[in-house]
Amino acid sequence: MDQYIIETGSGTYSNWISNGDTTRYLIKNLDQARTFSKKEIEKLLSTKEYVAKTTEALPSDPEKRIDKLFLYDHGQWNYLLTDSYDDPQPRDSKLEITYAGELTEDEGVDFIRREYIHKDQWIQYSFWDLSKYLRWGTGNQSHIDHWEGTSYFKIVMPQKTLYFKQPNKIYEQFETRELNNYKVYRSNDKKYLLLKGIDLGICYVIRPKK
C-alpha cells in the first residue's frame, strides 16, 4: 500500500515505508466470537476500504477453511472472519499499489530509466567448449555467443538524482537481458520509490535517510 506495509500472515501493519517507524501495530479483530455474514460484510464495505483477503484454518476446527478479510477506515485497521462471502477478490482492493512497466530504455518512466549499456567482455563458445552444458543455470540463452556488460540507471528524486548499475548480457540484434529487471512504483507524495524485482523477487525501497 502507498503508506503502509500490511503483513497479513502476522496480522500487523507498520508505517516504516513512509516515515521509518519500524513498530508493528496489531490489526484488530472486529469480533473474535463469530464469523460475519455476507449482508454484514456488504454493509461494512460501504463505509470501509477493502484491503486484502487470506484463507486459513478455523481455530476451532483445523479441517475447515475460513476467509479473513482485512479492512481499512481512516487510519484504523481491522479484520473479520467469514465462511459465507466469496467476494471481494484481492484484485478489487482500491488501496493496492500499481507498478509501472519494466525498466528498459523503451519502457522506462520519466523518473527512472536505463540510460546506458556498456559492453565489457565478449563471450564466445566453440564446438570443443563443453562448460556450457555442465554449468548450472545454462538455460535461457546463456550458452549463446554474447557480450557480458553493465546497465546504468538514473533515478530522479525530489532532492537529488541517484544512479545504480547491474550486470547484463547483450545478444544479437542488441537484445539486452539484465541480471534482474524491475517494475517500479512511486508514492503519491513522490517521496519514495519501490523497485520490485521481476526475476529475483527482491524488492527495494528508495527514499531519503531519516
Side-chain angles (χ1 to χ4, degrees):
M1 295 181 59
D2 186 69
Q3 298 296 324
Y4 303 94
I5 297 176
I6 312 303
E7 299 186 43
T8 56
S10 62
T12 61
Y13 73 94
S14 74
N15 305 310
W16 175 82
I17 198 170
S18 57
N19 63 18
D21 179 8
T22 60
T23 305
R24 294 184 179 184
Y25 298 95
L26 185 66
I27 300 176
K28 298 180 180 180
N29 191 340
L30 282 176
D31 193 329
Q32 298 181 2
R34 65 183 180 91
T35 60
F36 283 70
S37 67
K38 180 177 181 178
K39 185 176 181 179
E40 290 174 314
I41 295 173
E42 289 176 341
K43 182 177 180 180
L44 284 170
L45 292 179
S46 67
T47 59
K48 300 179 184 295
E49 291 285 356
Y50 167 66
V51 180
K53 179 176 74 173
T54 62
T55 302
E56 58 186 52
L58 184 65
S60 59
D61 184 0
E63 298 297 324
K64 183 178 181 180
R65 307 297 292 179
I66 193 167
D67 288 334
K68 178 186 287 188
L69 300 187
F70 293 86
L71 308 175
Y72 172 77
D73 181 23
H74 296 90
Q76 298 296 317
W77 294 93
N78 299 100
Y79 73 88
L80 58 83
L81 300 178
T82 179
D83 57 1
S84 61
Y85 194 68
D86 295 330
D87 289 323
Q89 296 297 319
R91 63 178 179 272
D92 295 331
S93 174
K94 297 178 182 178
L95 300 176
E96 185 177 357
I97 64 176
T98 301
Y99 287 90
E102 299 180 14
L103 300 184
T104 67
E105 67 268 43
D106 297 323
E107 299 182 38
V109 290
D110 57 347
F111 52 87
I112 177 171
R113 61 185 299 118
R114 187 169 66 190
E115 291 284 292
Y116 181 69
I117 298 172
H118 185 264
K119 297 178 179 179
D120 299 319
Q121 182 181 11
W122 173 252
I123 305 297
Q124 186 172 14
Y125 298 100
S126 67
F127 176 79
W128 301 105
D129 186 356
L130 300 180
S131 63
K132 61 183 177 181
Y133 303 108
L134 302 177
R135 188 175 56 195
W136 174 261
T138 55
N140 298 328
Q141 296 184 320
S142 62
H143 62 283
I144 299 176
D145 296 347
H146 64 275
W147 285 92
E148 291 192 352
T150 306
S151 293
Y152 294 85
F153 293 83
K154 181 174 73 173
I155 306 173
V156 179
M157 298 294 286
Q159 299 178 0
K160 63 175 62 177
T161 299
L162 309 176
Y163 301 89
F164 76 93
K165 63 182 180 180
Q166 65 179 12
N168 65 33
K169 293 183 178 181
I170 306 157
Y171 298 95
E172 293 181 4
Q173 299 177 346
F174 301 101
E175 178 188 354
T176 301
R177 296 181 57 208
E178 259 73 44
L179 174 65
N180 190 28
N181 205 355
Y182 304 92
K183 292 185 177 181
V184 60
Y185 171 78
R186 181 165 64 171
S187 64
N188 293 333
D189 57 14
K190 302 181 180 181
K191 291 184 178 180
Y192 73 85
L193 300 179
L194 295 180
L195 299 186
K196 182 178 182 180
I198 297 173
D199 302 317
L200 301 182
I202 300 175
C203 295
Y204 298 92
V205 179
I206 301 174
R207 66 177 185 194
K209 287 185 176 182
K210 298 295 182 179

